[in-house]
């Protein structure tokens, strides 16, 4: 078996509070193959951004990895010293955040920032680095890149800034790009452009992508596989197309039904009653059980782990038999 | 909505030539030192439309399109620079005259952020009762209390929730509280300014369903403001598309999605991610919204428009009647724009 | 009762319990405030009742029996046989009364002006805030001295001692309103654009009602912090003025007045007449200031 590019094993992230620790991410495991685009989707508080931050070692204290492991190409990275992690961040893992202004330093020109990133990680002369920087900006669709490279971040529009951030993320030819809500702050018409650029550029540079978003539409357009998160756990993970068209987990299917689409004609949207529980009162058993219309006794007591169903995995007791059958065959 | 179809033809809201100009100049001293002239932002530029009783008109646009400015003018939170707003035939003015206070009972607004729209220091019951009390809809405190309880139950909360503070509720529940407040003075007309854009999808569905149910139940008329076409499709009877402060197309909701006329409308529709995985080929969307302080001359959309010609660059387009509604586009008027594909 | 249990369960109280400095500062402040409040019950003598004084007790050493009368005074006595401990208790009353009153006056004035400036904006805002800016360029103590001087000039001499305390409060209060105005204006500028204020405007609420019922309660957090820190500053300002001889009159001595009187005895060796009032002032100002600092940190969401 080939080693996956990224492997997350039983990741648990906790926040200490005065009422005891809160578990924000609880036993998340997934693998990412080289060149693959994995979408991580979930509602606010589902733990999707925390998972991303944990991978790049940028969890905001007091949040911390309580247990679990993260491997990049078989090499464990979750317990590295801060400086070793810094060498990986930017060089081997690139980042694109929601607000481009947080990734760009307003005091330096785009050229300064790109060239610095390139030269920190690659052995290139100033001139070569500049040439490479212009090439990167060209690739992400910045018109007149050779002239605009000397502009400051505030001289760019929101969409253009996000393109610069993508160029910056790819500057050191990373193996993995983590994009956390890259289009949320942008206008609808610009969103589509940025998704296209992100996907196209990452494919071209051969980088795998973890795309974290609350927007199923963005995932549908971009990802190969999708992990649906709920209350800090993965509810369902598998190929995007199949999950969108035929969700297995009751939460996923409810979520899909609740998204208004252009095609649908019906009057009412499917709605899941209630809301995701607060971290302080996640129910025992399956965290979705109080909102689930297919709930039975076992769901209220035992927590389901990911069960392989067809070519995906679902954390739902409904599919326990499927596993047994699969084993029998 | 069908019960109210008899009244559909009387416009409840008539907006004519509405404009709003903001002075965005630097302070006087800076202008003198830097030799700059005053700068103005035309947030809303000569917008006219009607909303019929019992219908939902949606205004769609991206940032800078002026949609929220229009919403604010319609409920008297902002004074128009020009143009008139008639509410059931009566002019809207920003004052505290008795006539206006009487009129204020009839319109309300649901805001975008459920976190900022409820005073964090007020109990939920007081928040909901405020419009009732201030507008004098109900004076007896026992009746007010009973009505608050009814309203809370109407929006899917329990009457006992009135004793809590807003921070004890989730985003979706807070938006329900905001809806209860909006209904407390028994309005006919509710302006909904991006009511679900701060919410998660599964909660958004609850709120949208609730708003539709309330419309059917209470015969409300909605102005629905959004940037999200798929939400708008779900809510609206008619849709107005705004670009840089001006309306570019108004059409029947279904028709707009089947056969969008204005190139901007088509572009917006193309930008909506394809969730059905139909393999619909998306057209590359061009460019970004220009700076509204110095909008392009002629048709403001011409720099991004694949069909623009010399006329579009110099001449402001006027309304052209189409099969589905009205559109402001030289290309449509001249018939040189290919018919939209009717794939959806 | 519910409010009390809510407070005991609140994050604020939790953070308070976890901070030994805050707890200590609170205890010191509470002890000082309580002893000032109950001074007539605690003090061994009323230092301002000539009948209770015995000249023979003059210059008693602290903690030692007087050589003539054999009475023991914990903090010693002054030249007239006044018990220093009692004068401190009565002095604390004046200091705290002036401090609290001046801060309340500054808080009300500053909050009202800040609310108006922030909510109305435009020319009103410019005028109020320019006055504030101008006042801020002078040291507060100078402003207080100026106001005190003017007030003294216009009151007839026979009333001077009676109104001195009130003039002191006015002077310190007027020199201190600016920071309240600035903080409240800043908070008002943020709050007035929030949607709950729009919702209130929409139903035709008058600006006054919006300011008082909606905005003001949401600016109280920072105001409370400023008020606590101001209290320490006001107590010191009062002490400074009294030390300079322009504050509390000798008939109603505050801690500052006691220090001024005490320094006259310093070089003849009767150190205690100066030392104990000064230590009390130090303890009071320091503990109130520490409480204010802690409160500011505890209420600052960025530090959570």
């Amino acid at each position: 078996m080939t080693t996956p590019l990224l492997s997350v094993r039983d990741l648990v992230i906790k926040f200490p509070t005065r009422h005891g620790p809160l578990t924000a991410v609880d036993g998340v495991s997934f693998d990412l193959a080289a060149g693959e685009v994995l979408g991580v989707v979930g509602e606010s508080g589902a733990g999707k951004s925390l998972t991303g931050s944990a991978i790049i070692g940028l969890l905001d204290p007091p949040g911390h990895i309580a247990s679990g492991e993260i491997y990049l190409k078989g090499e464990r990275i979750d317990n590295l010293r801060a400086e070793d992690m810094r060498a990986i961040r930017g060089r081997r893992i690139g980042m694109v955040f929601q607000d481009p202004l947080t990734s760009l330093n307003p005091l330096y020109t785009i050229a300064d920032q790109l060239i610095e990133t390139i030269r920190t990680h690659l052995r290139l002369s100033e001139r070569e680095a500049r040439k490479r920087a212009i090439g990167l900006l060209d690739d992400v669709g910045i018109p007149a890149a050779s002239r605009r490279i000397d502009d400051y971040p505030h001289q760019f529009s929101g969409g253009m800034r996000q393109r610069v951030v993508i160029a910056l993320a790819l500057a050191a030819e990373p193996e993995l790009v983590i994009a956390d809500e890259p289009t949320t702050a942008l206008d609808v018409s610009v969103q589509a452009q940025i998704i296209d650029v992100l996907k196209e550029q990452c494919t071209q540079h051969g980088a795998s992508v973890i795309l974290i978003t609350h927007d199923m539409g963005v995932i549908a357009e971009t990802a190969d596989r999708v992990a649906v998160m709920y209350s800090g756990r993965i509810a369902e993970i598998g190929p995007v197309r199949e999950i969108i068209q035929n969700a297995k987990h009751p939460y996923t299917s409810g979520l899909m039904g609740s998204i208004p689409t252009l095609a649908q004609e019906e009057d009412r949207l499917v709605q899941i009653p209630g809301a995701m529980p607060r971290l302080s009162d996640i129910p025992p058993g399956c965290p979705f059980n109080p909102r689930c219309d297919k709930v039975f006794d076992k769901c209220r007591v035992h927590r389901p782990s990911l069960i392989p169903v067809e070519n995906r995995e679902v954390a739902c007791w409904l599919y326990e038999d499927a596993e047994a059958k699969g084993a029998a065959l | 909505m069908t019960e109210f179809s008899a009244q559909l033809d009387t416009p409840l809201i008539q907006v004519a030539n509405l404009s709003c100009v903001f002075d965005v100049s630097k302070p006087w001293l800076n202008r003198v030192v830097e030799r700059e002239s005053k700068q103005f932002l035309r947030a809303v530029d000569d917008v006219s439309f009607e909303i019929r009783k019992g219908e939902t008109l949606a205004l769609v646009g991206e940032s800078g399109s002026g949609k929220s400015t229009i919403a604010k003018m319609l409920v008297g939170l902002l004074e128009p620079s020009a143009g008139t707003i008639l509410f059931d035939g009566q002019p809207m003015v920003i004052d505290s005259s008795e006539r206006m206070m009487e009129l204020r009972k009839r319109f309300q607004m649901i805001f975008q952020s459920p976190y900022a729209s409820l005073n964090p220091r007020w109990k939920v019951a007081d928040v909901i009762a405020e419009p009732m009390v201030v507008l004098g809809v109900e004076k007896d405190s026992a009746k007010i209390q009973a009505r608050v309880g009814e309203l809370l139950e109407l929006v899917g909360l329990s009457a006992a929730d009135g004793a809590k503070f807003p921070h004890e509720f989730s985003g979706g529940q807070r938006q329900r509280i905001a809806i209860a407040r909006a209904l407390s003075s028994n309005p006919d007309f509710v302006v909904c300014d991006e009511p679900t854009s701060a919410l998660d999808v599964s909660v958004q569905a609850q709120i949208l369903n609730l708003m539709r149910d309330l419309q059917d139940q209470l015969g409300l008329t909605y102005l629905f403001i959004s940037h999200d076409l798929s939400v708008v499709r779900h809510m609206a009877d008619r849709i107005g598309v705004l670009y840089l402060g001006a309306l570019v197309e108004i059409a029947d909701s279904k028709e707009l999605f089947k056969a969008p006329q204005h190139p901007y409308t088509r572009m917006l529709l193309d930008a909506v991610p394809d969730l059905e995985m139909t393999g619909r080929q998306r057209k590359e969307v061009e460019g970004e919204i220009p700076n509204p302080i110095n909008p392009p001359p002629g048709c403001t959309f011409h720099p991004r428009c694949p069909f623009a010609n010399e006329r579009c660059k110099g001449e402001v387009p006027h309304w052209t009647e189409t099969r589905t509604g009205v559109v402001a586009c030289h290309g449509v008027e001249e018939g040189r724009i290919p018919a939209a594909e009717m794939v959806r | 009762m519910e409010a009390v249990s809510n407070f005991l369960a609140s994050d604020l109280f939790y953070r308070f319990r976890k901070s030994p400095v805050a707890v200590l500062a609170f205890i010191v402040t509470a002890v000082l405030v309580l002893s000032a409040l109950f001074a007539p019950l605690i003090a061994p003598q009323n230092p301002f009742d000539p009948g209770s004084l015995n000249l023979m007790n003059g210059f008693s050493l602290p903690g030692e029996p007087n050589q003539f009368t054999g009475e023991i005074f914990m903090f010693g006595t002054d030249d007239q046989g006044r018990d220093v401990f009692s004068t401190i208790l009565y002095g604390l009353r004046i200091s705290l009364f002036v401090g609290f009153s001046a801060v309340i006056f500054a808080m009300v004035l500053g909050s009202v002006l800040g609310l108006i400036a922030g909510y109305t904006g435009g020319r009103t805002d410019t005028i109020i805030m320019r006055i504030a800016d101008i006042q801020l360029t002078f040291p507060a103590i100078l402003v207080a001295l100026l106001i005190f001087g003017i007030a003294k000039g216009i009151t007839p001499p026979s009333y001077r001692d009676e109104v001195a305390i009130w003039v002191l409060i006015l002077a310190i209060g007027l020199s201190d309103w600016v920071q309240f105005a600035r903080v409240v204006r800043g908070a008002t500028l943020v709050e007035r654009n929030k949607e709950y204020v729009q919702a209130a405007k929409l139903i035709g609420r008058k600006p006054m009602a919006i300011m008082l019922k909606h905005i003001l309660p949401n600016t109280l957090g920072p105001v409370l912090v400023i008020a606590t820190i101001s209290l320490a500053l006001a107590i010191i300002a009062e002490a400074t003025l009294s030390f300079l001889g322009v504050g509390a009159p000798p008939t109603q001595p505050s801690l500052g007045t006691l220090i001024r009187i005490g320094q006259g005895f310093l070089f003849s060796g009767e150190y205690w007449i100066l030392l104990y009032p000064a230590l009390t002032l130090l303890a009071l100002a320091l503990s109130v200031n520490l409480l204010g600092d802690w409160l500011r940190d505890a209420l600052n969401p960025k530090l959570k």
Side-chain angles (χ1 to χ4, degrees):
Chain A
M1 210 177 108
T2 53
T3 332
L5 175 74
L6 181 83
S7 178
V8 176
R9 291 285 132 240
D10 270 321
L11 181 68
V12 177
I13 298 174
K14 289 193 176 177
F15 282 82
T17 72
R18 50 183 273 218
H19 305 291
L22 293 179
T23 309
V25 171
D26 193 356
V28 164
S29 303
F30 61 86
D31 287 336
L32 183 69
E36 190 183 28
V37 180
L38 173 72
V40 179
V41 72
E43 302 181 46
S44 43
K48 53 191 191 308
S49 288
L50 286 175
T51 306
S53 308
I55 295 169
I56 48 180
L58 284 181
L59 270 181
D60 282 329
H64 61 277
I65 298 178
S67 65
E69 294 118 51
I70 300 168
Y71 298 92
L72 184 65
K73 277 208 177 144
E75 172 198 341
R76 190 157 171 194
I77 59 168
D78 59 286
N79 55 0
L80 291 181
R81 284 181 306 157
E83 55 202 276
D84 296 334
M85 195 62 217
R86 220 171 295 140
I88 289 184
R89 216 160 36 224
R91 174 68 189 92
R92 297 182 63 190
I93 306 181
M95 295 159 284
V96 179
F97 293 116
Q98 172 173 346
D99 178 5
L101 283 181
T102 58
S103 324
L104 296 173
N105 187 333
L107 299 177
Y108 293 94
T109 63
I110 300 302
D112 293 340
Q113 303 184 43
L114 268 172
I115 292 170
E116 194 204 333
T117 310
I118 292 171
R119 294 197 65 199
T120 315
H121 299 297
L122 305 175
R123 293 181 164 276
L124 287 178
S125 73
E126 179 90 28
R127 276 191 58 154
E128 289 166 321
R130 188 180 168 88
K131 218 172 130 196
R132 187 179 153 80
I134 294 173
L136 281 165
L137 290 180
D138 246 344
D139 290 344
V140 294
I142 302 230
S146 54
R147 190 165 47 79
R148 297 224 58 190
I149 190 170
D150 290 313
D151 284 351
Y152 288 88
H154 71 90
Q155 290 167 292
F156 289 84
S157 66
M160 286 297 158
R161 262 184 229 140
Q162 200 60 302
R163 287 173 194 258
V164 172
V165 173
I166 293 174
L168 200 58
L170 291 169
E173 296 288 338
E175 297 145 77
L176 171 65
V177 170
I178 295 187
D180 191 352
E181 304 274 7
T183 60
T184 309
L186 303 172
D187 273 315
V188 197
S189 65
V190 183
Q191 264 184 24
Q193 302 170 5
I194 296 302
I195 297 173
D196 288 348
V197 169
L198 182 70
K199 177 155 191 187
E200 180 195 297
Q201 286 305 307
C202 290
T203 317
Q204 233 173 61
H205 291 255
S208 300
V209 181
I210 295 184
L211 178 65
I212 298 164
T213 176
H214 68 282
D215 188 341
M216 204 66 195
V218 171
I219 301 256
E221 297 267 314
T222 326
D224 304 314
R225 280 196 310 147
V226 59
V228 182
M229 287 191 70
Y230 186 82
S231 279
R233 302 158 198 201
I234 292 180
E236 182 163 5
I237 180 168
V240 167
R241 216 189 164 84
E242 284 162 49
I243 289 194
I244 286 181
Q245 285 168 348
N246 175 23
K248 296 273 188 209
H249 196 288
Y251 171 65
T252 320
S253 58
L255 187 70
M256 295 310 304
S258 66
I259 303 171
T261 61
L262 290 186
Q264 113 203 86
E265 289 289 337
E266 65 263 32
D267 260 4
R268 287 182 71 85
L269 297 164
V270 176
Q271 68 179 56
I272 314 173
M276 197 163 70
R278 293 182 188 198
L279 291 181
S280 50
D281 43 30
I282 294 177
C286 170
F288 187 61
N289 82 65
R291 303 174 72 190
C292 184
D293 54 355
K294 298 193 177 82
V295 65
F296 51 99
D297 290 344
K298 192 169 188 181
C299 307
R300 299 195 182 93
V301 187
H302 299 288
R303 176 182 162 183
S305 46
L306 285 171
I307 297 167
V309 183
E310 292 158 23
N311 53 355
R312 66 181 102 160
E313 291 173 283
V314 186
C316 178
W317 289 124
L318 285 174
Y319 301 97
E320 195 183 10
D321 293 347
E323 184 186 30
K325 266 183 234 154
L329 287 174
Chain B
M1 273 165 289
T2 42
E3 305 95 283
F4 300 96
S5 52
Q7 313 162 4
L8 271 183
D9 289 318
T10 347
L12 183 66
I13 306 286
Q14 290 162 285
V15 172
N17 310 101
L18 195 65
S19 293
C20 185
V21 181
F22 292 115
D23 186 348
V24 290
S25 317
K26 290 179 180 167
W28 172 81
L29 196 61
N30 295 43
R31 286 205 309 274
V32 174
V33 174
E34 293 161 32
R35 288 166 196 274
E36 283 180 14
S37 54
K38 280 201 155 199
Q39 285 194 314
F40 295 97
L41 168 70
R42 286 193 87 78
V44 175
D45 189 9
D46 198 20
V47 164
S48 306
F49 59 86
E50 290 180 350
I51 309 176
R52 297 187 281 258
K53 274 185 186 143
E55 80 165 347
T56 301
L57 173 74
L59 291 180
V60 190
E62 300 178 86
S63 60
S65 65
K67 54 191 192 303
S68 288
T69 311
I70 294 177
K72 281 187 180 165
M73 288 192 286
L74 275 186
V75 291
L77 287 175
L78 199 64
E79 197 140 14
S81 309
T84 52
I85 303 167
L86 293 184
F87 188 105
D88 213 2
Q90 299 189 60
M92 287 275 303
V93 203
I94 303 184
D95 64 20
S96 317
S97 65
E98 212 164 294
R99 183 191 65 81
M100 197 54 207
M101 289 308 273
E102 205 49 44
L103 206 57
R104 282 180 200 273
K105 290 179 192 169
R106 301 186 54 192
F107 58 81
Q108 261 293 349
M109 183 157 175
I110 299 168
F111 297 90
Q112 175 172 4
S113 162
Y115 298 93
S117 72
L118 307 175
N119 190 336
R121 306 265 166 186
W122 284 35
K123 282 194 175 152
V124 165
D126 298 330
V127 169
I128 296 175
E130 194 188 17
M132 235 188 295
V133 175
V134 172
L135 293 168
V137 178
E138 190 64 74
K139 294 198 171 65
D140 180 61
S141 68
K143 279 190 188 154
I144 290 174
Q145 212 184 342
R147 173 91 180 115
V148 167
E150 270 172 40
L151 284 164
L152 278 167
E153 274 161 18
L154 186 67
V155 297
L157 297 168
S158 86
D161 287 334
K164 297 184 188 163
F165 283 96
H167 69 85
E168 296 173 61
F169 295 90
S170 68
Q173 288 171 317
R174 287 189 210 205
Q175 202 59 307
R176 288 172 191 267
I177 295 168
I179 293 173
R181 169 179 60 194
L183 297 177
S184 113
S185 59
N186 287 320
D188 315 326
F189 175 56
V190 180
V191 173
C192 318
D193 186 6
E194 304 252 15
T196 60
S197 66
L199 303 175
D200 283 313
V201 261
S202 75
V203 180
Q204 165 173 286
Q206 296 171 3
I207 298 295
L208 292 179
N209 283 344
L210 173 69
M211 288 175 61
R212 288 197 64 149
D213 293 346
L214 290 171
Q215 181 171 42
D216 292 350
Q217 231 172 318
L218 306 169
L220 298 169
T221 305
Y222 284 149
L223 174 69
F224 194 93
I225 308 265
S226 182
H227 68 277
D228 187 336
L229 275 169
S230 35
V231 169
V232 159
R233 175 186 177 92
H234 186 72
M235 294 298 290
D237 299 313
R238 284 190 309 134
I239 295 175
V241 181
L242 285 162
Y243 187 73
L244 278 182
L247 272 171
V248 296
E249 179 165 4
I250 307 179
D252 201 62
S253 172
K254 279 192 183 129
E255 297 298 329
L256 186 94
F257 284 93
K258 267 192 219 146
Q261 297 294 314
H262 197 283
Y264 177 62
T265 316
R266 298 180 187 198
M267 195 186 87
L268 270 184
L269 276 171
D270 271 332
V272 176
D274 177 17
L275 205 54
E276 283 80 40
M277 315 286 288
T278 51
R280 157 167 67 98
Q281 200 52 49
R282 278 177 27 189
K283 277 196 210 75
E284 184 79 2
V285 175
E286 294 280 328
E288 292 182 36
I289 301 165
N291 183 352
I293 295 175
N294 284 312
C299 170
T300 50
F301 186 61
H302 81 254
R304 299 173 78 187
C305 181
F307 309 106
N309 63 11
E310 281 309 311
R311 188 181 171 203
C312 301
K313 288 176 189 161
E315 192 183 321
V316 177
H318 293 286
W319 288 121
T320 310
E321 295 268 347
T322 65
R323 195 170 47 76
T324 59
V326 282
V327 62
C329 175
H330 294 310
V332 174
E333 186 198 325
E334 294 163 20
R336 63 182 155 84
I337 293 188
E341 325 102 79
M342 317 240 285
V343 282
R344 294 170 200 96
Chain C
M1 267 339 278
E2 196 193 353
V4 172
S5 61
N6 276 351
F7 175 74
L8 290 180
S10 69
D11 286 350
L12 194 66
F13 184 69
Y14 175 79
R15 251 182 246 124
F16 175 73
R17 266 194 344 207
K18 289 273 153 177
S19 160
V21 175
V23 174
L24 188 69
F26 178 78
I27 291 172
V28 172
T29 312
V31 166
L32 290 172
V33 169
L34 287 177
S35 38
L37 267 179
F38 298 110
L41 301 178
I42 304 168
Q45 59 166 232
N46 181 349
F48 306 109
D49 173 13
S52 71
L53 299 183
N54 180 354
L55 273 179
M56 296 296 279
N57 280 331
F59 296 130
S60 300
L61 288 167
E64 288 176 31
N66 184 277
Q67 49 181 329
F68 305 113
T69 61
E71 285 182 60
I72 298 177
F73 298 94
M74 201 187 354
F75 289 173
T77 60
D78 66 1
D79 54 341
Q80 316 214 7
R82 269 196 206 100
D83 174 28
V84 172
F85 178 61
S86 304
T87 55
I88 288 175
L89 289 182
Y90 280 84
L92 255 181
R93 295 189 112 187
I94 307 285
S95 286
L96 280 169
F97 176 72
V98 172
F100 271 114
S101 310
V103 167
I104 289 170
F105 175 59
M107 183 166 78
V108 172
L109 181 69
S111 303
V112 168
L113 289 175
L115 258 183
I116 293 172
Y119 190 76
T120 20
R123 192 153 296 179
T124 324
D125 182 26
T126 314
I127 292 171
I128 294 176
M129 293 328 284
R130 283 308 88 78
I131 294 175
D133 287 345
I134 291 166
Q135 180 168 338
L136 221 50
T137 59
F138 298 102
I141 202 77
L142 208 63
V143 177
L145 264 174
L146 181 73
I147 297 166
F148 194 84
I150 294 171
K152 214 169 176 180
I154 57 174
T155 38
S158 54
Y159 286 111
R160 264 181 209 162
D161 274 7
E162 278 172 50
V163 297
I165 296 291
W166 299 105
V167 172
L168 204 51
I169 290 170
L170 183 79
I172 298 172
L174 277 180
S175 70
D176 200 34
W177 66 275
V178 174
Q179 39 177 339
F180 287 99
R182 288 194 150 192
V183 165
V184 171
R185 174 178 175 269
T188 306
L189 286 177
V190 174
E191 297 296 323
R192 77 161 184 196
N193 289 324
K194 287 200 181 159
E195 291 168 343
Y196 72 86
V197 173
Q198 309 259 311
K201 275 189 192 166
L202 185 132
I203 52 171
R205 289 219 96 163
K206 303 277 187 307
M208 195 59 133
I210 293 179
M211 279 191 261
L212 294 182
K213 295 197 169 156
H214 282 284
I215 296 179
L216 187 63
N218 284 297
T219 62
L220 286 184
V223 166
L224 197 65
V225 172
I226 301 279
T228 319
I229 295 170
S230 285
L231 178 61
L233 293 176
I235 289 169
I236 292 172
E238 183 277 329
T240 311
L241 289 174
S242 298
F243 181 78
L244 295 173
V246 295
T251 49
Q252 288 167 289
S254 68
L255 289 176
T257 322
L258 294 179
I259 293 170
R260 174 166 60 94
I261 296 169
Q263 61 132 6
F265 298 102
L266 189 58
F267 294 107
S268 52
E270 287 87 17
Y271 66 88
W272 58 88
I273 308 178
L274 169 71
L275 181 67
Y276 294 112
L279 284 180
T280 313
L281 178 69
L282 180 72
L284 179 64
L286 189 65
S287 57
V288 173
N289 216 340
L290 286 174
L291 263 188
D293 277 355
W294 168 79
L295 197 63
R296 183 188 55 204
D297 295 346
L299 291 179
N300 186 349
K302 281 188 194 136
L303 293 175
K304 271 182 192 170

